[in-house]
Amino acid sequence: MIIDSHCHLDRLKFDELGHDLAQVLDQARAKQVEHFLCVSVTLDQFPSMLEKIAQFDDVSASCGVHPLDQKDALDSELLLSLAKSDRVVAIGETGLDYYYSEETKQVQLESFVGHIDIANQLNKPLIIHTRDAKEDTLNLMRAHHADKCGGVLHCFTEDWDMAKRAIDLGFYISISGIVTFRNASALRDVVKQIPLDRLLIETDSPYLAPMPHRGKTNQPAYVQDVAYFISDLKGVSYAELATSTTNNFYSLFPLAKRA
């Protein structure tokens, strides 16, 4: 069995998929996906996200504000209140993105610190998005003791130095379908070096569908394609890759219900 450790189920394009959420999840279960982590990107949409997944016991949730959605100061009291929900197993996604939105750098920095502080307060791990912000991301993780709550650098596309430094802080590295893209040779070199006991897999659906589904709306079933690709890349069996990444997920997110 495998896990989609990062998906946005509330943002799936059901008209393009031709299925509702229940059917989409059934298709993934048929591909041996036993759990899904539905990740929040804004606080105002969090309640509706939670409502959409409420009936599915194998779907967990995170709570946080994506750096590209962080236009104003973080409402820390609201985040704390929402994140106390028993359904919430993680804080985020949060982090820093200077590639698309360097103009909001200061707001992003302050928000990231707020997320780390709340993650430590609630003892829930962080889901971190980082792009073109390597040193600031790692420096804030260290300065605000993100190692206490732990977490994951999701949809990782940075270099091995960053991955290793995050791993040294006790973090996991999650790989999406980007690893299958033709222009992702540098990322493939990084993935070869990530220890199996620090690796997670994800779709980040509805974005970034892996080969051979490139150009389609991504969905949780496609995490199996990511798993097969990475097992071949790392020279391990699919069963070993599946077992390791599944055990890693439940170790990192102990509040998630195990099948």
Side-chain angles (χ1 to χ4, degrees), residues 109-224:
L109 290 166
E110 293 169 0
S111 175
F112 188 26
V113 170
H115 280 79
I116 296 172
D117 290 345
I118 288 172
N120 279 327
Q121 185 174 338
L122 296 179
N123 194 29
K124 294 185 177 183
L126 288 157
I127 299 172
I128 296 177
H129 169 107
T130 179
R131 189 166 186 189
D132 283 8
K134 173 180 173 178
E135 294 303 330
D136 281 356
T137 300
L138 291 167
N139 288 341
L140 288 181
M141 288 167 65
R142 282 192 300 268
H144 294 271
H145 310 292
D147 56 304
K148 290 184 178 179
C149 59
V152 57
L153 301 190
H154 105 93
C155 195
F156 191 78
T157 57
E158 303 294 327
D159 60 17
W160 168 240
D161 178 67
M162 184 175 196
K164 185 179 185 305
R165 289 161 69 183
I167 290 169
D168 289 344
L169 286 172
F171 273 67
Y172 291 78
I173 307 297
S174 183
I175 303 300
S176 72
I178 290 176
V179 73
T180 71
F181 296 177
R182 292 194 185 97
N183 62 350
S185 59
L187 176 59
R188 287 191 282 275
D189 289 340
V190 172
V191 173
K192 290 176 184 177
Q193 300 179 77
I194 299 172
L196 273 181
D197 64 357
R198 287 286 131 183
L199 181 66
L200 295 178
I201 53 176
E202 64 172 273
T203 59
D204 203 11
S205 53
Y207 318 107
L208 304 171
M211 298 293 290
H213 311 288
R214 191 90 191 267
K216 298 179 182 178
T217 294
N218 203 0
Q219 58 178 301
Y222 296 164
V223 75
Q224 188 182 70

Side-chain angles (χ1 to χ4, degrees), residues 40-81:
S40 165
V41 294
T42 69
L43 297 184
D44 62 332
Q45 295 174 10
F46 174 79
S48 64
M49 184 191 89
L50 210 57
E51 184 178 355
K52 289 174 182 175
I53 66 172
Q55 64 178 301
F56 305 108
D57 290 339
D58 54 358
V59 180
S60 298
S62 76
C63 186
V65 185
H66 192 290
L68 296 181
D69 289 285
Q70 191 71 68
K71 305 300 189 243
D72 302 304
L74 175 67
D75 188 336
S76 296
E77 290 186 6
L78 179 59
L79 173 58
L80 179 61
S81 174

